[in-house]
Amino acid sequence: MDHAQAHEEHHQHHQHHGGDGGHGGASWAMAARATLHCLTGCAVGEVLGMVIGTALGWGNLPTMILAIILAFFFGYALTLRGILAAGVDLRTAVRVALAADTLSIAVMELIDNGVIALWPGAMDAHLSEALFWIALAISLALAFVVTTPVNKWMIGRGKGHAVVHRYH
């Protein structure tokens, strides 16, 4: 679903619930879409960071740091793309993306990297091994499950992706 469709659903949600600005409660579907949007950027950054770190022969810690940095970068980049497309200036768009995504990405990265760090053998698995991809898929799925209620709470208070919808 694109931002325009999400905005329309958000607008209809406001009208249906007395026009409280959506701050009284966000739907689980809206929270799941916001989390999936965030997860997409995080997953791209995580995989790219791990591929680069592994290809360069880096150790686990520098590879994980690169993956986290790239997860934030791509998470913010996806949000920026939509805000800039709405005609918002770059400075405002960056502030909105930071406000909208920082907590969501941070929670997602904490869960994702925590699972991989604690999973026996996952940190040392190579890209060609099933363990690498299984641990990554499960860690991202768990991150989605844990982060969705966080996004629901934030959207319900007019924060997170609710901020992004104001610019559409």
Side-chain angles (χ1 to χ4, degrees):
M1 173 177 288
D2 66 15
H3 286 288
Q5 290 170 319
H7 175 69
E8 179 60 29
E9 180 180 323
H10 186 67
H11 180 69
Q12 290 170 356
H13 177 77
H14 291 238
Q15 292 175 337
H16 180 71
H17 292 285
D20 68 351
H23 304 307
S27 72
W28 282 104
M30 186 183 305
R33 279 193 303 279
T35 306
L36 187 59
H37 175 89
C38 183
L39 180 70
T40 301
C42 287
V44 169
E46 285 284 329
V47 172
L48 186 58
M50 289 181 204
V51 168
I52 291 170
T54 300
L56 296 175
W58 290 2
N60 290 337
L61 185 59
T63 298
M64 184 178 275
I65 291 170
L66 177 63
I68 291 168
I69 290 168
L70 290 177
F72 273 91
F73 174 80
F74 282 100
Y76 290 138
L78 286 180
T79 298
L80 276 172
R81 182 184 58 125
I83 299 168
L84 290 171
V88 176
D89 66 278
L90 181 61
R91 183 176 175 184
T92 302
V94 168
R95 285 196 318 243
V96 169
L98 290 172
D101 289 341
T102 300
L103 181 59
S104 180
I105 295 171
V107 170
M108 194 163 289
E109 287 302 297
L110 178 68
I111 300 301
D112 171 39
N113 286 287
V115 168
I116 290 173
L118 295 174
W119 190 309
M123 288 293 293
D124 296 318
H126 296 278
L127 298 174
S128 61
E129 296 176 46
L131 176 60
F132 172 87
W133 296 104
I134 291 168
L136 181 63
I138 291 172
S139 70
L140 290 171
L142 186 57
F144 176 84
V145 169
V146 172
T147 307
T148 298
V150 172
N151 281 327
K152 184 179 187 307
W153 177 79
M154 288 175 38
I155 293 167
R157 281 151 187 77
K159 309 246 184 258
H161 273 262
V163 176
V164 173
H165 293 299
R166 294 181 197 143
Y167 291 91
H168 291 285

